[in-house]
């Protein structure tokens, strides 16, 4: 009997003997929509021609995929695999620096997915983009994502860490302004963006428009507590679509479904109240 087969002998409609040369497989948990689209983004990344990192992106409206993209050379140009070498590797260029010296410059997974959506007359306004392979999103792609009207960004690195960001509220500070944060009392965890590690807890602070000279000049307008962050990680109870940050209401936040009219209010302690 071939490997992996199981024979069951039945007598009088009762199972009396099993011959099994493989372990019983437990049924895998059905992925939620976020995991589903991130898994698809991981498959998309396998089309990448990059020799350093393979990234994939999926743009979604509701539960429908409107575009995909992966990093590699632009159309009409040879990619690194076809050429047989990586220019950045040959020149010893450190990852994350001198991005213009890369054959995939301007042709990352995020920008390629947005370009494909535009080419197919599919607007990205209000969409969510799911990305696999990135530890962070480059400044150029952040600008393209924001200008395309994408409201939610979810990315998973190769180690499995998932990060969710909302361009409209979290991408207000350009990297050129980061140097002003060198003396910030928050310390090395502070990169002048909205996510920081404060007292061991991930918190979201909305910083004022002025450059930061010291911690005293941080405008603590709102703080998104870990419980509130957790409240946005699930799916809509009505249609099972992803949830997203809506707006502030005092210290409470309004969380909305990306597809239907479902909404809820979440206070800093994580107490939730469904909205009519």
């Amino acid at each position: 009997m071939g490997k992996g087969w199981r024979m069951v002998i039945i007598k009088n409609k009762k199972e009396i003997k099993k011959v099994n040369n493989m372990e019983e497989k437990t049924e895998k948990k059905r992925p939620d929509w976020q995991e589903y689209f991130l898994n698809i983004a991981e498959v998309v990344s396998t089309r990448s021609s990059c020799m350093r990192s393979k990234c994939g992106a999926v743009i979604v409206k509701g539960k429908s995929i409107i575009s995909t993209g992966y990093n590699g050379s632009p159309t009409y140009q040879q990619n690194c695999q076809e050429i047989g070498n990586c220019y950045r590797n040959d020149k010893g260029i450190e990852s994350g620096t001198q991005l213009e010296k890369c054959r995939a410059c301007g042709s990352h997974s995020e920008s390629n997915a947005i370009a494909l959506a535009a080419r197919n007359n599919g607007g990205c306004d209000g969409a969510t983009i799911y990305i696999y392979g990135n530890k962070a999103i480059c400044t150029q792609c952040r600008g393209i994502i924001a200008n395309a009207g994408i409201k939610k960004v979810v990315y998973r690195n190769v180690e499995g860490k998932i990060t969710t960001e909302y361009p409209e509220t979290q991408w207000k500070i350009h990297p050129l302004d980061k140097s002003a944060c060198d003396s910030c009392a928050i310390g090395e965890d502070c990169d002048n963006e909205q996510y920081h590690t404060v007292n061991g807890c991930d918190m979201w602070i909305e910083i004022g428009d002025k450059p930061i000279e010291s911690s005293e000049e941080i405008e603590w307008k709102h703080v998104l507590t870990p419980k509130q962050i957790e409240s946005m990680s699930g799916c809509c109870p009505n249609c099972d679509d992803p949830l997203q940050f809506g707006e502030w209401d005092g210290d409470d936040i309004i969380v909305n479904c990306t597809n239907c009219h479902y909404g809820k209010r979440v206070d800093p302690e994580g107490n939730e109240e469904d909205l009519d």
Side-chain angles (χ1 to χ4, degrees), residues 25-38:
K25 293 184 178 179
T26 58
E27 185 176 353
K28 291 184 178 179
K29 179 183 176 182
R30 187 185 185 201
D32 59 23
W33 287 107
Q34 176 172 284
E35 184 181 0
Y36 173 71
F37 290 125
L38 285 172

Side-chain angles (χ1 to χ4, degrees), residues 34-227:
Q34 176 172 284
E35 184 181 0
Y36 173 71
F37 290 125
L38 285 172
N39 288 346
I40 293 175
E42 183 173 357
V43 174
V44 172
S45 74
T46 62
R47 280 284 302 164
S48 169
S49 58
C50 181
M51 293 181 169
R52 280 195 172 186
S53 62
K54 297 185 180 298
C55 301
V58 174
I59 300 177
V60 175
K61 274 191 174 182
K63 296 181 183 141
S64 299
I65 295 174
I66 63 172
S67 186
T68 64
Y70 51 87
N71 58 324
S73 298
T75 304
Y76 310 126
Q77 297 180 14
Q78 283 189 310
N79 61 53
C80 293
Q81 291 188 8
E82 292 171 332
I83 294 171
N85 68 288
C86 169
Y87 178 89
R88 293 172 64 81
N89 282 344
D90 291 348
K91 302 297 181 180
I93 299 174
E94 183 179 353
S95 180
T97 66
Q98 303 182 60
L99 297 181
E100 74 281 359
K101 296 180 179 180
C102 177
R103 297 189 187 280
C105 179
S107 190
H108 290 177
S109 62
E110 306 94 309
S111 58
N112 285 341
I114 292 170
L116 181 61
R119 192 170 71 185
N120 293 334
N121 298 316
C124 298
D125 193 41
T128 297
I129 185 168
Y130 296 90
I131 307 161
Y132 170 80
N134 281 355
K135 291 184 177 179
I137 300 171
C138 75
T139 301
Q140 186 178 48
C141 284
R142 282 175 178 253
I144 294 171
I145 289 170
N147 290 339
I150 290 174
K151 297 300 182 184
K152 185 176 181 180
V153 180
V154 183
Y155 55 98
R156 183 174 72 195
N157 64 21
V158 293
E159 287 80 26
K161 180 182 178 182
I162 298 175
T163 303
T164 302
E165 297 181 5
Y166 299 87
E168 186 176 0
T169 54
Q170 293 177 246
W171 292 2
K172 292 181 178 179
I173 300 174
H174 194 278
L176 289 175
D177 300 320
K178 288 184 177 181
S179 59
C181 205
D182 292 341
S183 59
C184 175
I186 290 178
E188 62 181 11
D189 292 320
C190 181
D191 59 2
N192 210 8
E193 295 186 15
Q194 282 70 31
Y195 277 101
H196 299 270
T197 299
V198 182
N199 296 327
C201 296
D202 288 334
M203 291 189 176
W204 175 24
I205 61 175
E206 183 175 325
I207 302 173
D209 296 332
K210 294 181 179 180
I212 298 171
E213 299 296 338
S214 68
S215 60
E216 285 74 24
E217 295 191 21
I218 296 178
E219 187 175 354
W220 295 82
K221 292 181 179 179
H222 297 294
V223 176
L224 196 66
T225 67
K227 290 291 186 181

